[in-house]
Amino acid sequence: MRRLLVLAPALVLLAGCNPSSPAKETPSSVPASSASASAGLPPDPQPARTAECPYLSNETVQDANGQHVTKVSVSDDEPHPTCFFYRPDGSLQLSVRVYVGKSDVATALVNKAAPVDTSNPASDPAGWKGGYQPAGDGVVYAVAKGEAAVIVTSNQKQSIKARTVAKKAIAALKL
């Protein structure tokens, strides 16, 4: 007991000097605005049914991504479903997610896909802002403008392929 009383003040002093104490971690944790924005994000889209993409043709994707499209699935998202394009071996080669709604959600979706701190800046087409970066074995190109966001994930490593698809989707939807 006597040892504990002698060591207690030393432990208190050491705890106060510890740079990883919980009081000091709070400012470096996720900002409240980011946490609340991610909490309000729609869930990641999932393929719901086999159907043609309403805003991109198979030929457009084949030409841009460099692989044949043998199957297309779409999500149940409205007003614009996410389109999933598959290769001849059945694996996913490209997906295009379009969001139209609140501008803060559009920006948060882009930042989730290609975080500002880690991705390369993207500003194509003109007026759109976001980023691109490696994603898995491919790349993601994500941009937002006002209330709209377009996120393209490709199994190809060249960002120009995903950027081309994003631009085609934006043009087709007149966003």
Side-chain angles (χ1 to χ4, degrees):
M1 182 74 160
R2 186 183 241 178
R3 281 187 185 164
L4 285 176
L5 291 175
V6 172
L7 291 175
L11 290 174
V12 169
L13 287 174
L14 285 175
C17 294
N18 186 354
S20 63
S21 66
K24 294 189 182 214
E25 282 185 18
T26 303
S28 66
S29 63
V30 176
S33 61
S34 295
S36 62
S38 63
L41 293 180
D44 290 339
Q46 301 298 318
R49 64 188 179 286
T50 300
E52 293 301 312
C53 181
Y55 49 88
L56 286 172
S57 70
N58 292 3
E59 293 76 27
T60 297
V61 171
Q62 286 176 173
D63 290 346
N65 206 46
Q67 297 174 317
H68 289 290
V69 173
T70 56
K71 177 184 166 187
V72 180
S73 294
V74 296
S75 69
D76 286 332
D77 299 310
E78 294 293 335
H80 309 294
T82 296
C83 298
F84 301 88
F85 296 88
Y86 296 88
R87 299 172 14 152
D89 69 2
S91 64
L92 182 66
Q93 67 165 293
L94 187 127
S95 66
V96 183
R97 181 179 191 178
V98 177
Y99 170 84
V100 178
K102 296 180 180 179
S103 61
D104 60 333
V105 174
T107 301
L109 283 170
V110 167
N111 195 41
K112 178 183 173 189
V116 174
D117 295 339
T118 60
S119 67
N120 298 300
S123 58
D124 197 15
W128 291 74
K129 300 264 186 256
Y132 65 93
Q133 68 181 15
D137 289 335
V139 68
V140 63
Y141 186 89
V143 288
K145 179 181 176 185
E147 299 174 342
V150 175
I151 301 162
V152 178
T153 304
S154 170
N155 67 347
Q156 301 293 298
K157 294 188 184 295
Q158 302 88 359
S159 62
I160 192 167
K161 294 179 178 192
R163 179 178 64 201
T164 299
V165 172
K167 289 171 61 174
K168 297 273 187 185
I170 289 166
L173 292 167
K174 297 179 172 79
L175 297 175

